[in-house]
Amino acid sequence: MPCDDDAPRRLLVRHEEEFGPLTIVFHLLPDPALTSRLLVDFPHLLFVFAHQRARHRG
């Protein structure tokens, strides 16, 4: 099924509206440069960094 360059973005927006953000879990320590880049390049995704050495913020 052919699609244009905007099709993935539209699908992510629709998913977010219907179910909430698509969540990607990294089992890594957070990296500020990577996090910034991911947020710019993929604004409709939720990124979670889960690592046993990560500090809890609460």
Side-chain angles (χ1 to χ4, degrees):
M1 179 167 132
C3 62
D4 59 20
D5 289 341
D6 199 43
R9 185 198 62 78
R10 289 193 311 267
L11 288 171
L12 286 172
V13 169
R14 189 170 106 196
H15 185 279
E16 185 175 20
E17 290 170 352
E18 294 177 5
F19 305 106
L22 186 62
T23 304
I24 308 298
V25 178
F26 292 104
H27 294 279
L28 304 167
L29 286 170
D31 176 276
L34 174 61
T35 303
S36 295
R37 181 72 189 262
L38 290 171
L39 294 173
V40 168
D41 291 344
F42 304 101
H44 291 283
L45 298 179
L46 173 64
F47 297 97
V48 176
F49 289 85
H51 190 276
Q52 63 186 7
R53 290 184 21 206
R55 293 189 305 156
H56 171 70
R57 292 184 183 205

